[in-house]
Amino acid sequence: MSDPRQALGRYGEEVVARWLEGRGWRVLDRRFRSGHRDLDLVVERGGAVAFVEVKARRGRSFQHPIEAVNWRKQRELVRSAHVWLERRGWPGVSYRFDVVGVLIGDRAVRVRHVENAFTLPWRG
């Protein structure tokens, strides 16, 4: 039997992947693993690549998604992004970090997309 939190997370990632695809993004990677860290989604549109962290919640209250991504999580995302870039990076495109919150209610699913949610120095 699977963990309900993991099932919720996977559902949220699927919702966000479809939502982004409907807005012209192409999914390059899902659940990219780097050791114990991962990137939920890596998407591309028009010469830009976004590393997307998905935060799914059930209920009525919708905390801002960026509130769930503290400096430690940001550091992990940056480290995972570096590994992704070493393995699959594309020269000449821009990269950014987005956070997308998904609120799953009784009657509707709401999505809140925060583009360029944070910036941390890149290793050169």
Side-chain angles (χ1 to χ4, degrees), residues 3-36:
D3 176 6
R5 283 184 347 155
Q6 283 187 342
L8 178 64
R10 286 178 195 234
Y11 177 72
E13 290 166 14
E14 183 59 33
V15 166
V16 171
R18 289 182 190 171
W19 189 85
L20 289 169
E21 287 172 333
R23 283 152 182 78
W25 290 90
R26 182 169 57 108
V27 176
L28 301 176
D29 231 324
R30 293 174 188 243
R31 299 192 141 235
F32 173 80
R33 301 278 311 159
S34 168
H36 69 279

mmCIF file of all heavy atoms in Angstrom, residues 3-36:
data_model
loop_
_atom_site.group_PDB
_atom_site.id
_atom_site.type_symbol
_atom_site.label_atom_id
_atom_site.label_comp_id
_atom_site.label_asym_id
_atom_site.label_seq_id
_atom_site.Cartn_x
_atom_site.Cartn_y
_atom_site.Cartn_z
ATOM 1 N N ASP A 3 2.031 5.285 0.357
ATOM 2 C CA ASP A 3 1.905 6.389 1.295
ATOM 3 C C ASP A 3 0.933 7.424 0.713
ATOM 4 O O ASP A 3 1.116 7.865 -0.422
ATOM 5 C CB ASP A 3 3.295 6.982 1.517
ATOM 6 C CG ASP A 3 3.317 8.203 2.404
ATOM 7 O OD1 ASP A 3 2.271 8.569 2.961
ATOM 8 O OD2 ASP A 3 4.401 8.792 2.543
ATOM 9 N N PRO A 4 -0.098 7.848 1.467
ATOM 10 C CA PRO A 4 -1.058 8.833 0.960
ATOM 11 C C PRO A 4 -0.398 10.156 0.560
ATOM 12 O O PRO A 4 -0.828 10.794 -0.401
ATOM 13 C CB PRO A 4 -2.032 9.043 2.115
ATOM 14 C CG PRO A 4 -1.893 7.846 2.979
ATOM 15 C CD PRO A 4 -0.488 7.344 2.780
ATOM 16 N N ARG A 5 0.661 10.553 1.280
ATOM 17 C CA ARG A 5 1.351 11.805 0.917
ATOM 18 C C ARG A 5 2.028 11.676 -0.443
ATOM 19 O O ARG A 5 2.016 12.601 -1.239
ATOM 20 C CB ARG A 5 2.378 12.190 1.977
ATOM 21 C CG ARG A 5 1.775 12.795 3.201
ATOM 22 C CD ARG A 5 2.814 13.256 4.187
ATOM 23 N NE ARG A 5 4.150 12.756 3.903
ATOM 24 C CZ ARG A 5 5.264 13.347 4.281
ATOM 25 N NH1 ARG A 5 5.234 14.452 4.962
ATOM 26 N NH2 ARG A 5 6.434 12.826 4.017
ATOM 27 N N GLN A 6 2.643 10.517 -0.692
ATOM 28 C CA GLN A 6 3.284 10.304 -1.986
ATOM 29 C C GLN A 6 2.251 10.277 -3.103
ATOM 30 O O GLN A 6 2.482 10.828 -4.173
ATOM 31 C CB GLN A 6 4.088 9.008 -1.991
ATOM 32 C CG GLN A 6 5.401 9.123 -1.265
ATOM 33 C CD GLN A 6 6.250 7.873 -1.436
ATOM 34 O OE1 GLN A 6 5.755 6.806 -1.800
ATOM 35 N NE2 GLN A 6 7.531 8.006 -1.166
ATOM 36 N N ALA A 7 1.117 9.636 -2.847
ATOM 37 C CA ALA A 7 0.054 9.591 -3.856
ATOM 38 C C ALA A 7 -0.461 10.995 -4.147
ATOM 39 O O ALA A 7 -0.684 11.356 -5.317
ATOM 40 C CB ALA A 7 -1.080 8.692 -3.387
ATOM 41 N N LEU A 8 -0.623 11.804 -3.112
ATOM 42 C CA LEU A 8 -1.065 13.186 -3.297
ATOM 43 C C LEU A 8 -0.023 13.970 -4.098
ATOM 44 O O LEU A 8 -0.364 14.714 -5.017
ATOM 45 C CB LEU A 8 -1.306 13.857 -1.944
ATOM 46 C CG LEU A 8 -1.733 15.320 -1.976
ATOM 47 C CD1 LEU A 8 -3.082 15.475 -2.659
ATOM 48 C CD2 LEU A 8 -1.784 15.875 -0.547
ATOM 49 N N GLY A 9 1.246 13.778 -3.774
ATOM 50 C CA GLY A 9 2.315 14.456 -4.494
ATOM 51 C C GLY A 9 2.349 14.080 -5.964
ATOM 52 O O GLY A 9 2.479 14.935 -6.840
ATOM 53 N N ARG A 10 2.195 12.811 -6.252
ATOM 54 C CA ARG A 10 2.200 12.361 -7.657
ATOM 55 C C ARG A 10 0.990 12.905 -8.407
ATOM 56 O O ARG A 10 1.095 13.298 -9.563
ATOM 57 C CB ARG A 10 2.245 10.840 -7.728
ATOM 58 C CG ARG A 10 3.594 10.306 -7.376
ATOM 59 C CD ARG A 10 3.611 8.790 -7.392
ATOM 60 N NE ARG A 10 4.808 8.359 -6.714
ATOM 61 C CZ ARG A 10 5.689 7.533 -7.241
ATOM 62 N NH1 ARG A 10 5.494 7.039 -8.430
ATOM 63 N NH2 ARG A 10 6.760 7.195 -6.571
ATOM 64 N N TYR A 11 -0.157 12.933 -7.729
ATOM 65 C CA TYR A 11 -1.351 13.500 -8.356
ATOM 66 C C TYR A 11 -1.123 14.983 -8.651
ATOM 67 O O TYR A 11 -1.432 15.457 -9.746
ATOM 68 C CB TYR A 11 -2.571 13.307 -7.452
ATOM 69 C CG TYR A 11 -3.819 13.947 -8.010
ATOM 70 C CD1 TYR A 11 -4.469 13.393 -9.109
ATOM 71 C CD2 TYR A 11 -4.319 15.111 -7.453
ATOM 72 C CE1 TYR A 11 -5.601 13.988 -9.630
ATOM 73 C CE2 TYR A 11 -5.458 15.717 -7.973
ATOM 74 C CZ TYR A 11 -6.095 15.144 -9.054
ATOM 75 O OH TYR A 11 -7.216 15.740 -9.580
ATOM 76 N N GLY A 12 -0.563 15.706 -7.691
ATOM 77 C CA GLY A 12 -0.271 17.125 -7.893
ATOM 78 C C GLY A 12 0.679 17.348 -9.054
ATOM 79 O O GLY A 12 0.494 18.260 -9.862
ATOM 80 N N GLU A 13 1.702 16.518 -9.160
ATOM 81 C CA GLU A 13 2.654 16.633 -10.263
ATOM 82 C C GLU A 13 1.973 16.395 -11.610
ATOM 83 O O GLU A 13 2.260 17.090 -12.583
ATOM 84 C CB GLU A 13 3.810 15.658 -10.066
ATOM 85 C CG GLU A 13 4.719 16.050 -8.917
ATOM 86 C CD GLU A 13 5.654 14.939 -8.490
ATOM 87 O OE1 GLU A 13 5.808 13.947 -9.242
ATOM 88 O OE2 GLU A 13 6.239 15.066 -7.405
ATOM 89 N N GLU A 14 1.066 15.435 -11.654
ATOM 90 C CA GLU A 14 0.337 15.165 -12.901
ATOM 91 C C GLU A 14 -0.553 16.348 -13.272
ATOM 92 O O GLU A 14 -0.602 16.758 -14.432
ATOM 93 C CB GLU A 14 -0.500 13.888 -12.760
ATOM 94 C CG GLU A 14 -1.220 13.501 -14.026
ATOM 95 C CD GLU A 14 -0.298 13.251 -15.221
ATOM 96 O OE1 GLU A 14 0.833 12.763 -15.035
ATOM 97 O OE2 GLU A 14 -0.723 13.561 -16.353
ATOM 98 N N VAL A 15 -1.240 16.918 -12.287
ATOM 99 C CA VAL A 15 -2.079 18.091 -12.528
ATOM 100 C C VAL A 15 -1.237 19.237 -13.087
ATOM 101 O O VAL A 15 -1.595 19.880 -14.074
ATOM 102 C CB VAL A 15 -2.804 18.532 -11.232
ATOM 103 C CG1 VAL A 15 -3.399 19.931 -11.363
ATOM 104 C CG2 VAL A 15 -3.878 17.525 -10.852
ATOM 105 N N VAL A 16 -0.096 19.478 -12.459
ATOM 106 C CA VAL A 16 0.763 20.590 -12.878
ATOM 107 C C VAL A 16 1.360 20.333 -14.261
ATOM 108 O O VAL A 16 1.421 21.243 -15.096
ATOM 109 C CB VAL A 16 1.865 20.864 -11.830
ATOM 110 C CG1 VAL A 16 2.886 21.869 -12.351
ATOM 111 C CG2 VAL A 16 1.233 21.358 -10.533
ATOM 112 N N ALA A 17 1.773 19.108 -14.542
ATOM 113 C CA ALA A 17 2.324 18.795 -15.864
ATOM 114 C C ALA A 17 1.290 19.096 -16.948
ATOM 115 O O ALA A 17 1.599 19.763 -17.946
ATOM 116 C CB ALA A 17 2.764 17.332 -15.928
ATOM 117 N N ARG A 18 0.065 18.656 -16.748
ATOM 118 C CA ARG A 18 -0.989 18.922 -17.734
ATOM 119 C C ARG A 18 -1.284 20.418 -17.829
ATOM 120 O O ARG A 18 -1.496 20.947 -18.917
ATOM 121 C CB ARG A 18 -2.262 18.170 -17.363
ATOM 122 C CG ARG A 18 -2.145 16.688 -17.574
ATOM 123 C CD ARG A 18 -3.446 16.007 -17.243
ATOM 124 N NE ARG A 18 -3.293 14.578 -17.226
ATOM 125 C CZ ARG A 18 -4.211 13.754 -16.804
ATOM 126 N NH1 ARG A 18 -5.365 14.224 -16.349
ATOM 127 N NH2 ARG A 18 -4.005 12.462 -16.814
ATOM 128 N N TRP A 19 -1.311 21.090 -16.680
ATOM 129 C CA TRP A 19 -1.601 22.531 -16.630
ATOM 130 C C TRP A 19 -0.527 23.303 -17.407
ATOM 131 O O TRP A 19 -0.843 24.181 -18.197
ATOM 132 C CB TRP A 19 -1.666 22.966 -15.169
ATOM 133 C CG TRP A 19 -2.158 24.344 -14.933
ATOM 134 C CD1 TRP A 19 -3.462 24.748 -14.821
ATOM 135 C CD2 TRP A 19 -1.358 25.520 -14.739
ATOM 136 N NE1 TRP A 19 -3.508 26.104 -14.585
ATOM 137 C CE2 TRP A 19 -2.240 26.602 -14.522
ATOM 138 C CE3 TRP A 19 0.011 25.751 -14.722
ATOM 139 C CZ2 TRP A 19 -1.785 27.898 -14.301
ATOM 140 C CZ3 TRP A 19 0.467 27.040 -14.506
ATOM 141 C CH2 TRP A 19 -0.434 28.091 -14.295
ATOM 142 N N LEU A 20 0.741 22.953 -17.186
ATOM 143 C CA LEU A 20 1.827 23.629 -17.892
ATOM 144 C C LEU A 20 1.807 23.305 -19.394
ATOM 145 O O LEU A 20 2.031 24.187 -20.228
ATOM 146 C CB LEU A 20 3.176 23.264 -17.277
ATOM 147 C CG LEU A 20 3.457 23.852 -15.892
ATOM 148 C CD1 LEU A 20 4.693 23.205 -15.274
ATOM 149 C CD2 LEU A 20 3.605 25.362 -15.951
ATOM 150 N N GLU A 21 1.548 22.049 -19.736
ATOM 151 C CA GLU A 21 1.464 21.678 -21.145
ATOM 152 C C GLU A 21 0.364 22.466 -21.850
ATOM 153 O O GLU A 21 0.537 22.880 -23.006
ATOM 154 C CB GLU A 21 1.220 20.174 -21.297
ATOM 155 C CG GLU A 21 2.442 19.348 -20.975
ATOM 156 C CD GLU A 21 2.189 17.855 -20.927
ATOM 157 O OE1 GLU A 21 1.040 17.430 -20.631
ATOM 158 O OE2 GLU A 21 3.139 17.099 -21.173
ATOM 159 N N GLY A 22 -0.728 22.715 -21.166
ATOM 160 C CA GLY A 22 -1.806 23.523 -21.726
ATOM 161 C C GLY A 22 -1.408 24.965 -21.954
ATOM 162 O O GLY A 22 -2.097 25.703 -22.666
ATOM 163 N N ARG A 23 -0.301 25.380 -21.361
ATOM 164 C CA ARG A 23 0.215 26.740 -21.523
ATOM 165 C C ARG A 23 1.482 26.779 -22.374
ATOM 166 O O ARG A 23 2.243 27.729 -22.328
ATOM 167 C CB ARG A 23 0.464 27.355 -20.143
ATOM 168 C CG ARG A 23 -0.854 27.793 -19.523
ATOM 169 C CD ARG A 23 -0.836 27.784 -18.022
ATOM 170 N NE ARG A 23 -2.148 28.178 -17.520
ATOM 171 C CZ ARG A 23 -3.211 27.383 -17.474
ATOM 172 N NH1 ARG A 23 -3.128 26.153 -17.915
ATOM 173 N NH2 ARG A 23 -4.367 27.813 -17.000
ATOM 174 N N GLY A 24 1.703 25.703 -23.110
ATOM 175 C CA GLY A 24 2.796 25.691 -24.072
ATOM 176 C C GLY A 24 4.121 25.145 -23.590
ATOM 177 O O GLY A 24 5.104 25.154 -24.328
ATOM 178 N N TRP A 25 4.191 24.647 -22.358
ATOM 179 C CA TRP A 25 5.426 24.072 -21.851
ATOM 180 C C TRP A 25 5.528 22.613 -22.292
ATOM 181 O O TRP A 25 4.526 21.928 -22.429
ATOM 182 C CB TRP A 25 5.476 24.135 -20.322
ATOM 183 C CG TRP A 25 5.634 25.518 -19.792
ATOM 184 C CD1 TRP A 25 4.635 26.391 -19.471
ATOM 185 C CD2 TRP A 25 6.857 26.191 -19.512
ATOM 186 N NE1 TRP A 25 5.160 27.569 -19.008
ATOM 187 C CE2 TRP A 25 6.528 27.474 -19.019
ATOM 188 C CE3 TRP A 25 8.200 25.843 -19.625
ATOM 189 C CZ2 TRP A 25 7.493 28.398 -18.644
ATOM 190 C CZ3 TRP A 25 9.160 26.760 -19.252
ATOM 191 C CH2 TRP A 25 8.806 28.028 -18.768
ATOM 192 N N ARG A 26 6.752 22.147 -22.480
ATOM 193 C CA ARG A 26 7.015 20.746 -22.810
ATOM 194 C C ARG A 26 7.736 20.107 -21.627
ATOM 195 O O ARG A 26 8.740 20.645 -21.146
ATOM 196 C CB ARG A 26 7.887 20.672 -24.062
ATOM 197 C CG ARG A 26 8.191 19.267 -24.523
ATOM 198 C CD ARG A 26 8.831 19.263 -25.898
ATOM 199 N NE ARG A 26 10.043 20.062 -25.943
ATOM 200 C CZ ARG A 26 11.281 19.551 -26.033
ATOM 201 N NH1 ARG A 26 11.451 18.248 -26.085
ATOM 202 N NH2 ARG A 26 12.321 20.345 -26.073
ATOM 203 N N VAL A 27 7.242 18.990 -21.162
ATOM 204 C CA VAL A 27 7.863 18.297 -20.030
ATOM 205 C C VAL A 27 9.093 17.544 -20.521
ATOM 206 O O VAL A 27 9.000 16.698 -21.405
ATOM 207 C CB VAL A 27 6.868 17.336 -19.340
ATOM 208 C CG1 VAL A 27 7.566 16.549 -18.240
ATOM 209 C CG2 VAL A 27 5.670 18.106 -18.775
ATOM 210 N N LEU A 28 10.241 17.883 -19.945
ATOM 211 C CA LEU A 28 11.499 17.213 -20.285
ATOM 212 C C LEU A 28 11.798 16.063 -19.338
ATOM 213 O O LEU A 28 12.414 15.073 -19.733
ATOM 214 C CB LEU A 28 12.665 18.212 -20.228
ATOM 215 C CG LEU A 28 12.586 19.428 -21.125
ATOM 216 C CD1 LEU A 28 13.771 20.362 -20.863
ATOM 217 C CD2 LEU A 28 12.536 19.016 -22.583
ATOM 218 N N ASP A 29 11.399 16.233 -18.090
ATOM 219 C CA ASP A 29 11.710 15.232 -17.075
ATOM 220 C C ASP A 29 10.681 15.294 -15.965
ATOM 221 O O ASP A 29 10.181 16.369 -15.626
ATOM 222 C CB ASP A 29 13.093 15.502 -16.478
ATOM 223 C CG ASP A 29 13.983 14.276 -16.484
ATOM 224 O OD1 ASP A 29 13.459 13.161 -16.288
ATOM 225 O OD2 ASP A 29 15.198 14.439 -16.659
ATOM 226 N N ARG A 30 10.399 14.142 -15.379
ATOM 227 C CA ARG A 30 9.523 14.034 -14.210
ATOM 228 C C ARG A 30 10.268 13.252 -13.138
ATOM 229 O O ARG A 30 10.888 12.239 -13.434
ATOM 230 C CB ARG A 30 8.241 13.261 -14.527
ATOM 231 C CG ARG A 30 7.313 13.944 -15.477
ATOM 232 C CD ARG A 30 6.163 12.988 -15.796
ATOM 233 N NE ARG A 30 5.339 13.533 -16.840
ATOM 234 C CZ ARG A 30 4.071 13.860 -16.667
ATOM 235 N NH1 ARG A 30 3.480 13.667 -15.520
ATOM 236 N NH2 ARG A 30 3.377 14.361 -17.655
ATOM 237 N N ARG A 31 10.202 13.744 -11.927
ATOM 238 C CA ARG A 31 10.813 13.053 -10.781
ATOM 239 C C ARG A 31 12.265 12.661 -11.035
ATOM 240 O O ARG A 31 12.677 11.533 -10.791
ATOM 241 C CB ARG A 31 9.992 11.842 -10.375
ATOM 242 C CG ARG A 31 8.602 12.235 -9.964
ATOM 243 C CD ARG A 31 7.852 11.103 -9.287
ATOM 244 N NE ARG A 31 7.102 11.744 -8.220
ATOM 245 C CZ ARG A 31 7.160 11.407 -6.949
ATOM 246 N NH1 ARG A 31 7.883 10.405 -6.571
ATOM 247 N NH2 ARG A 31 6.478 12.067 -6.045
ATOM 248 N N PHE A 32 13.042 13.610 -11.510
ATOM 249 C CA PHE A 32 14.466 13.382 -11.736
ATOM 250 C C PHE A 32 15.142 13.192 -10.384
ATOM 251 O O PHE A 32 15.046 14.040 -9.512
ATOM 252 C CB PHE A 32 15.077 14.582 -12.480
ATOM 253 C CG PHE A 32 16.567 14.512 -12.599
ATOM 254 C CD1 PHE A 32 17.158 13.714 -13.567
ATOM 255 C CD2 PHE A 32 17.379 15.234 -11.738
ATOM 256 C CE1 PHE A 32 18.538 13.643 -13.676
ATOM 257 C CE2 PHE A 32 18.759 15.171 -11.834
ATOM 258 C CZ PHE A 32 19.338 14.367 -12.803
ATOM 259 N N ARG A 33 15.820 12.049 -10.210
ATOM 260 C CA ARG A 33 16.463 11.715 -8.945
ATOM 261 C C ARG A 33 17.955 11.988 -9.000
ATOM 262 O O ARG A 33 18.615 11.685 -9.985
ATOM 263 C CB ARG A 33 16.258 10.242 -8.598
ATOM 264 C CG ARG A 33 14.827 9.810 -8.463
ATOM 265 C CD ARG A 33 14.163 10.084 -7.162
ATOM 266 N NE ARG A 33 14.927 9.659 -6.017
ATOM 267 C CZ ARG A 33 14.724 10.161 -4.799
ATOM 268 N NH1 ARG A 33 13.820 11.074 -4.604
ATOM 269 N NH2 ARG A 33 15.432 9.753 -3.786
ATOM 270 N N SER A 34 18.448 12.546 -7.895
ATOM 271 C CA SER A 34 19.878 12.773 -7.724
ATOM 272 C C SER A 34 20.180 12.429 -6.273
ATOM 273 O O SER A 34 19.990 13.258 -5.391
ATOM 274 C CB SER A 34 20.216 14.230 -8.027
ATOM 275 O OG SER A 34 21.521 14.527 -7.616
ATOM 276 N N GLY A 35 20.590 11.200 -6.029
ATOM 277 C CA GLY A 35 20.769 10.762 -4.648
ATOM 278 C C GLY A 35 19.421 10.721 -3.951
ATOM 279 O O GLY A 35 18.460 10.172 -4.472
ATOM 280 N N HIS A 36 19.334 11.349 -2.792
ATOM 281 C CA HIS A 36 18.056 11.374 -2.071
ATOM 282 C C HIS A 36 17.205 12.578 -2.456
ATOM 283 O O HIS A 36 16.103 12.736 -1.983
ATOM 284 C CB HIS A 36 18.302 11.346 -0.553
ATOM 285 C CG HIS A 36 18.929 12.602 -0.022
ATOM 286 N ND1 HIS A 36 20.279 12.834 -0.117
ATOM 287 C CD2 HIS A 36 18.388 13.692 0.570
ATOM 288 C CE1 HIS A 36 20.544 14.029 0.410
ATOM 289 N NE2 HIS A 36 19.425 14.568 0.819
#
